[in-house]
């Protein structure tokens, strides 16, 4: 398993608990010693326990030496990072380095599996790299669909396993690794295995993320229209989701999507299309709607408070979504930065993200009530359940103002108003203004 980021660590630990012997390859010594002691370099539910079990079983180990790992293995998973470069396209330097090392150390029998999300055509490029190194290695594309916050269960109970290759035998070697998942006891959890060609497997990954991001941008656009016409987007989304052709997932309106994947993958897909002479205008619109959506909260604050300079604003949330400490491309970070640019005094709080990940001179508090103390407004930027269960009366009593702008529609508008708060949210202005139905 070359690379021990989110994907590599989860996949390594999971395979090891499924009776496969796994060697994780990681260049950074501090990361290796943490992993050897059973600590993932990031917070992910259930992962540390799984790492501990795998290490104790003796089927998981870590090394910095690719050659040493290759000498005792048959399949090499490429799980190195492909972060967005300055031009927005994935930076393939780590992949290039890993591939060259593999080319140098292999005896020619290895099957190389791309798990990193790589631009369409990269597996073909890898095949050529290996040829240049004087070896012919079979390449299999096996895209991952793991979500941060539920990566372990996503791996062990996937909706599908997608494998692409021109080499049927290599493909079956990888299927074999997944056998414990494919043939697991509970029949309803057994995923289909889709065998296809390299370029199709690579495209599935991009299409899946592009569709999910488009679904979120779609419901956000509907939410904005709901705000104008006085409809309730949560009811609209609920009714849409009951249509089996649409499905209920990814219809939660709010500040928009973030994280290290959607933005990067959409840009890469748009760029690939452009390289082929096609303008992917729907995908560009998905990105555009999302960019505007992040600033919706700032506009709402301006509508209520007018000039924001000197206002004290508490931003609840820093992670790009609940269930992770990851702040990469987080809408919450963008909101905090913009508020600060406008002269507001910003305090952020998050149950998991580190204080060090707060941007600029933004103050960080772990406790939401402390963050809200003497604030003019509280903004909900991340959908943490910890925020949804806050005592709103206590919150209101600590603030100097009374405005709650709920960028994730966490609260019941009537309860928020009953707690003495001026409440605004996304796509539910009709509900927020209407007389409470149940009182
Ligand atoms: C996403 C995909 O869901 C995974 O299948 C994929 O493997 C992964 O990217 C990847 O490419 O590595 P992830 O980035 O962990 O997973 O997060 P998601 O759960 O997809 O959420 C993405 C963003 O959409 C978050 O900011 C979340 O708050 C937002 N979102 C999601 C909404 O605003 N509304 C929703 O209804 C759902």
């Amino acid at each position: 398993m070359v690379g021990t980021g989110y994907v590599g660590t989860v996949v390594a630990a999971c395979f090891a608990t499924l009776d496969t012997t796994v060697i994780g390859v990681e260049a950074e010594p501090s990361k290796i010693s943490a992993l050897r002691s059973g600590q993932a370099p990031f917070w992910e539910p259930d992962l540390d326990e799984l790492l501990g079990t795998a290490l104790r079983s003796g089927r998981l180990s870590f090394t910095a030496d690719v050659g040493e790992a290759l000498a005792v293995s048959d399949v090499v998973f490429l799980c190195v990072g492909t972060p967005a470069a300055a031009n927005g396209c994935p930076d393939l330097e780590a992949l290039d380095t890993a591939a060259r090392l593999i080319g140098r150390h292999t005896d020619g029998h290895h099957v190389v599996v791309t798990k990193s999300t790589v631009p369409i055509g990269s597996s073909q490029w890898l095949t050529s790299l290996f040829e240049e190194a004087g070896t012919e290695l079979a390449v299999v594309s096996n895209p991952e669909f793991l979500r941060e916050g539920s990566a372990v269960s996503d791996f062990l109970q996937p909706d599908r396993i997608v494998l692409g290759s021109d080499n049927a035998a290599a493909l079956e070697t990888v299927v074999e690794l997944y056998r414990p998942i494919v043939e697991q006891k509970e029949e309803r959890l057994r995923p289909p295995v889709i065998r296809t060609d390299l370029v199709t497997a690579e495209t599935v990954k991009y299409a899946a993320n592009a569709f999910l991001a488009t679904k979120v941008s779609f419901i956000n656009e509907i939410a904005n229209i709901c705000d104008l016409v006085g409809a309730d987007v949560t009811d609209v989304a609920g009714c849409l989701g009951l249509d089996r052709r649409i499905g209920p997932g990814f219809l939660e309106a709010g500040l928009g999507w973030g994280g290290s994947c959607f933005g990067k993958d959409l840009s890469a897909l748009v760029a690939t299309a452009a390289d082929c002479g096609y303008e992917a205008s729907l995908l560009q619109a998905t990105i555009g709607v999302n960019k505007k959506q992040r600033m919706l909260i700032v506009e709402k604050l301006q509508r209520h408070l007018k000039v924001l300079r000197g206002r004290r604003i508490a931003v609840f949330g820093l992670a790009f979504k609940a269930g992770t400490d990851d702040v990469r491309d987080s809408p919450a970070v963008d909101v905090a930065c913009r508020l600060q640019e406008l002269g507001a005094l910003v305090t952020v709080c998050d149950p998991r993200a580190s204080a060090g990940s707060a941007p600029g001179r933004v103050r960080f508090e772990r406790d939401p009530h402390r963050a809200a103390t003497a604030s003019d407004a509280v903004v909900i930027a991340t959908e943490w359940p910890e925020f949804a269960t806050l005592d709103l009366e206590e919150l209101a009593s600590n603030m100097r103002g009374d405005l709650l702008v709920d960028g994730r529609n966490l609260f019941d508008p009537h309860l928020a108003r009953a707690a003495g708060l001026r409440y605004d949210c996304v796509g539910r202005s009709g509900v927020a203004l209407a007389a409470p139905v149940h009182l």
Side-chain angles (χ1 to χ4, degrees):
M1 200 70 56
V2 182
T4 58
Y6 267 99
V7 176
T9 308
V10 171
V11 177
C14 286
F15 269 138
T17 53
L18 297 174
D19 277 357
T20 298
T21 303
V22 184
I23 303 137
V25 181
E26 173 55 56
E28 227 178 275
S30 64
K31 252 176 141 186
I32 293 204
S33 48
L35 285 163
R36 280 181 180 151
S37 67
Q39 257 191 325
F42 48 85
W43 180 73
E44 178 66 33
D46 305 326
L47 185 56
D48 283 355
E49 291 81 349
L50 203 75
L51 270 175
T53 311
L55 287 163
R56 280 191 300 275
S57 73
R59 283 190 300 274
L60 179 62
S61 58
F62 294 94
T63 176
D65 187 339
V66 177
E68 185 187 305
L70 285 186
V72 290
S73 50
D74 305 303
V75 182
V76 189
F77 280 81
L78 285 171
C79 297
V80 294
T82 51
N87 61 2
C89 292
D91 178 350
L92 299 182
E93 201 186 323
L95 190 76
D96 184 277
T97 308
R100 285 177 200 282
L101 278 170
I102 293 165
R104 202 175 309 146
H105 290 282
T106 184
D107 60 3
H109 89 283
H110 294 99
V111 172
V112 177
V113 186
T114 47
K115 262 261 175 239
S116 308
T117 300
V118 290
I120 298 168
S122 296
S123 300
Q124 194 172 293
W125 166 72
L126 281 175
T127 309
S128 306
L129 266 186
F130 295 137
E131 274 168 16
E132 273 172 33
T135 180
E136 263 185 44
L137 293 184
V139 177
V140 176
S141 166
N142 173 212
E144 57 86 14
F145 305 104
L146 312 179
R147 287 163 300 174
E148 289 181 21
S150 55
V152 171
S153 55
D154 285 349
F155 185 88
L156 296 171
Q157 290 156 18
D159 290 338
R160 74 295 208 191
I161 293 167
V162 179
L163 296 163
S165 186
D166 310 333
N167 184 319
L171 206 143
E172 293 314 315
T173 303
V174 184
V175 172
E176 202 50 42
L177 294 177
Y178 282 103
R179 191 162 299 284
I181 294 176
V182 177
E183 292 177 358
Q184 59 189 295
K185 226 185 259 158
E186 234 181 298
E187 210 174 324
R188 64 180 182 90
L189 296 178
R190 290 179 194 163
V193 176
I194 289 93
R195 295 166 172 85
T196 183
D197 57 72
L198 277 171
V199 79
T200 304
E202 290 172 338
T203 307
V204 168
K205 167 69 192 190
Y206 282 99
N209 274 0
F211 184 79
L212 293 171
T214 302
K215 210 173 169 193
V216 176
S217 282
F218 170 82
I219 201 63
N220 283 334
E221 188 142 286
I222 296 295
N224 297 339
I225 296 170
C226 284
D227 261 340
L228 295 172
V229 301
D232 176 359
V233 74
T234 42
D235 280 355
V236 172
C239 293
L240 285 180
L242 288 172
D243 186 324
R244 270 172 292 185
R245 293 167 302 173
I246 297 173
F250 279 71
L251 285 176
E252 272 167 36
L255 274 191
W257 44 264
S260 66
C261 304
F262 280 7
K264 182 183 66 139
D265 292 355
L266 274 163
S267 299
L269 190 53
V270 168
T272 300
D275 286 348
C276 300
Y278 179 76
E279 192 190 341
S281 39
L282 175 65
L283 303 182
Q284 283 169 350
T286 294
I287 297 169
V289 166
N290 196 55
K291 204 167 160 198
K292 267 202 284 179
Q293 199 68 13
R294 289 185 178 191
M295 288 304 119
L296 186 78
I297 291 308
V298 178
E299 286 158 26
K300 282 184 185 280
L301 284 167
Q302 286 172 322
R303 211 172 302 146
H304 290 281
L305 301 176
K306 311 298 175 203
V307 177
L308 298 182
R309 183 165 299 282
R311 293 289 196 178
R312 265 198 212 114
I313 298 172
V315 176
F316 283 15
L318 197 53
F320 80 94
K321 66 171 186 179
T324 178
D325 60 358
D326 193 346
V327 302
R328 285 177 289 175
D329 195 22
S330 169
V333 172
D334 271 11
V335 168
C337 289
R338 182 65 188 138
L339 290 175
Q340 199 172 46
E341 266 171 30
L342 292 169
L345 309 169
V346 183
T347 304
V348 295
C349 74
D350 192 282
R352 278 286 165 189
S354 69
S357 53
R361 297 181 319 281
V362 165
R363 241 183 68 203
F364 182 88
E365 287 283 357
R366 186 67 70 195
D367 177 54
H369 289 293
R370 284 178 67 97
T373 300
S375 62
D376 294 294
V378 167
V379 170
I380 307 291
T382 308
E383 62 276 25
W384 282 105
E386 284 86 337
F387 298 149
T389 51
L390 282 174
D391 179 337
L392 289 184
E393 277 175 27
E394 190 187 341
L395 191 82
S397 69
N398 287 337
M399 294 168 64
R400 91 176 165 191
D402 63 355
L403 181 61
L404 172 60
V405 181
D406 184 355
R408 295 290 180 182
N409 289 344
L410 280 190
F411 295 104
D412 177 330
H414 304 307
L415 293 181
R417 281 197 300 149
L421 289 160
R422 224 175 346 149
Y423 181 75
D424 203 345
C425 45
V426 183
R428 299 190 300 168
S429 63
V431 193
L433 297 174
V437 178
H438 305 295
L439 296 183

